[in-house]
Amino acid sequence: MTTLPGGTTIRESRTGREAGPAEAERVLLVKMVLIGGVTGVLSGLLGVGGGFVLIPLLTAAQVPIREAVGTSLLYVVFVAAMGAWSHVRQGTVDWVLAATVAGGAIPMAPLGSLAASHLPAPLLEVTFGGLAFAACAGLFLRRKPRRGGRPEGLPRRRARAYIVWRRRRYAGTEHVFPVDALRGVLLGGGIGFISGLVGLGGGWLLTPFLALVMGVPVPVAVGTSLVAILAPALAGTLAHYHLGNLDPGQAVPLVLAGVAGAPAGAWAVLRVPERHVKRALVGLLMLGGAYMLLRGLTALGR
């Protein structure tokens, strides 16, 4: 610290130079690249856009919650697209399932974004934390579908016209599972609204719920989730941009690092045991949820 005539002080770096705005911007750039890259790998591995990790990290870096929400959605659009492409190539995407979920999510995401602009920031943070813990509970309650045939407890004949049986082959094994179009649209609508409300692509909830509610194998749930969240994330991004909650320039290093990391996560999803993927998702949900819940409750208690 150096004192100038008149009492003005300036900070000096360890090399003796002033630690001005340029140095602060470089530090921020490094943080954004690290955050974006790690989140991108997790996106491809867990079938999430990465917002449930990104938002707590951005808020910890002193980014206001509404700006973090808008930046997160823009990040989700690009990173989920890269991860989805990798999953398409390895056969872990079901297009019928993705279409039913996206059909419900697309019209609801802008409504969630509009609600977010009128709700207090601490309430959004508490909502984020509560949803994270709800997703954890869903993962623990999920039944594992049977490989190579129809899941147990379901009729052998299709009883309803909106239920279709799908087949996906990956990693040398054929998997057969039901797709309930009505349930998929309702699930997509709820997740689309949440996506716009808390700035997430919705994959962090969609992935476990596809496996829990619809009996989809985990790798297919991961890949399909990334495809399904693209459209609502884009809709939510445009809504936040028009509401003034998004600075595209600030998101560039995040997006570039995330796009680079997403294919690595998608490659790993067929090579990492399912139980480890589940534990990683639960751990991240709990950490992110606890941070945001504590932050929101603290602000509401003031």
Side-chain angles (χ1 to χ4, degrees):
M1 187 80 70
T2 302
T3 302
L4 300 178
T8 303
T9 60
I10 60 171
R11 290 189 305 151
E12 295 182 355
S13 65
R14 292 183 181 180
T15 60
R17 294 176 297 180
E18 290 186 17
E23 182 176 341
E25 289 180 3
R26 285 194 295 269
V27 172
L28 180 62
L29 176 62
V30 171
K31 290 180 180 179
M32 293 300 177
V33 170
L34 290 175
I35 292 171
V38 171
T39 307
V41 173
L42 295 174
S43 173
L45 177 63
L46 303 177
V48 299
F52 79 94
V53 177
L54 193 61
I55 289 178
L57 292 177
L58 288 177
T59 54
Q62 307 306 313
V63 177
I65 181 64
R66 286 190 175 86
E67 292 182 17
V69 165
T71 301
S72 168
L73 280 172
L74 180 63
Y75 177 93
V76 166
V77 170
F78 286 94
V79 175
M82 180 58 68
W85 172 243
S86 298
H87 279 277
V88 168
R89 293 169 60 189
Q90 66 190 20
T92 47
V93 171
D94 186 87
W95 292 102
V96 172
L97 177 60
T100 60
V101 174
I106 291 172
M108 295 301 295
L111 295 179
S113 298
L114 183 62
S117 66
H118 293 89
L119 293 175
L123 183 59
L124 293 181
E125 293 168 340
V126 171
T127 300
F128 182 104
L131 291 172
F133 284 108
C136 286
L139 279 169
F140 281 113
L141 293 172
R142 181 182 60 81
R143 290 186 307 169
K144 185 176 180 179
R146 191 173 66 185
R147 288 188 174 186
R150 298 170 184 259
E152 296 178 354
L154 292 175
R156 289 196 168 273
R157 292 186 179 181
R158 190 174 65 187
R160 300 177 180 87
Y162 51 82
I163 297 178
V164 295
W165 289 90
R166 303 290 294 167
R167 296 177 181 272
R168 301 304 306 170
R169 175 174 288 275
Y170 54 87
T173 304
E174 184 177 70
H175 300 255
V176 182
F177 53 93
V179 171
D180 186 324
L182 178 59
R183 188 175 292 180
V185 170
L186 294 175
L187 179 63
I191 289 179
F193 183 83
I194 292 169
S195 170
L197 180 66
V198 297
L200 306 176
W204 65 300
L205 288 172
L206 183 58
T207 300
F209 288 170
L210 284 178
L212 169 68
V213 177
M214 302 186 70
V216 178
V218 169
V220 177
V222 169
T224 303
S225 171
L226 285 172
V227 172
I229 66 177
L230 279 173
L234 179 58
T237 298
L238 294 174
H240 275 280
Y241 179 75
H242 287 298
L243 291 168
N245 298 334
L246 173 62
D247 179 4
Q250 187 180 52
V252 169
L254 282 170
V255 169
L256 292 179
V259 166
W267 175 86
V269 75
L270 294 182
R271 295 161 178 84
V272 177
E274 179 183 328
R275 64 182 182 276
H276 295 326
V277 176
K278 176 181 174 180
R279 289 170 183 170
L281 183 55
V282 169
L284 288 170
L285 284 171
M286 292 185 69
L287 286 174
Y291 172 79
M292 297 299 286
L293 190 61
L294 179 62
R295 180 185 174 97
L297 290 175
T298 300
L300 288 174
R302 291 174 183 170

